[in-house]
Amino acid sequence: EVQLVESGGGLVQPGGSLRLSCTTSGFTFDEYAIGWFRQAPGKEREGVSCINNNGGATYYPNFVKGRFTTSSDNAKNTVYLQMNNLKPEDTAVYYCAIPGSPYYTCSGPYDHWGQGTQVTVSS
């Protein structure tokens, strides 16, 4: 059974940093792309990063480039999202997810999701 568990969320002031973790099990970690997404109240879910563990390529949308970094620890089956210079508009529930097959890349589709972790950026 595929399991994805996010942790590391919390309350942080603008300009601060957080590191989220996505601990996984139930699939061959180094064969899959793993994406990070977020959803704020009243807004659609959006992707914020992806790492393709089969090769190591990473992808970010422009609105987080230079602030967010994703990395993998294959020994721990864990993916991280380092978030720096956080802004109030980064407030959202953050999720990690994997596609339904190792043949799918960061473009998805994503079939397995974690339960999410809340990130609140506020002074």
Side-chain angles (χ1 to χ4, degrees):
E1 178 187 5
V2 173
Q3 290 193 328
L4 304 161
V5 180
E6 303 93 339
S7 61
L11 174 64
V12 63
Q13 292 187 342
S17 298
L18 280 175
R19 189 178 78 157
L20 306 184
S21 300
C22 173
T23 302
T24 75
S25 61
F27 63 98
T28 307
F29 182 82
D30 60 3
E31 291 183 356
Y32 277 75
I34 300 181
W36 283 97
F37 298 80
R38 69 186 185 187
Q39 188 165 23
K43 295 188 177 181
E44 291 188 356
R45 185 173 60 204
E46 60 185 357
V48 297
S49 76
C50 181
I51 184 165
N52 190 341
N53 282 332
N54 185 3
T58 56
Y59 303 93
Y60 307 93
N62 286 337
F63 59 86
V64 304
K65 272 184 181 177
R67 300 191 299 124
F68 290 12
T69 303
T70 190
S71 60
S72 280
D73 185 334
N74 285 5
K76 296 182 178 180
N77 287 354
T78 299
V79 172
Y80 302 98
L81 182 65
Q82 177 68 42
M83 305 186 294
N84 298 327
N85 190 22
L86 283 162
K87 305 175 181 181
E89 51 264 42
D90 295 318
T91 295
V93 178
Y94 284 70
Y95 303 88
C96 58
I98 65 167
S101 165
Y103 298 106
Y104 294 142
T105 63
C106 284
S107 57
Y110 289 84
D111 285 350
H112 302 283
W113 296 80
Q115 83 290 347
T117 185
Q118 175 71 46
V119 171
T120 303
V121 185
S122 175
S123 55

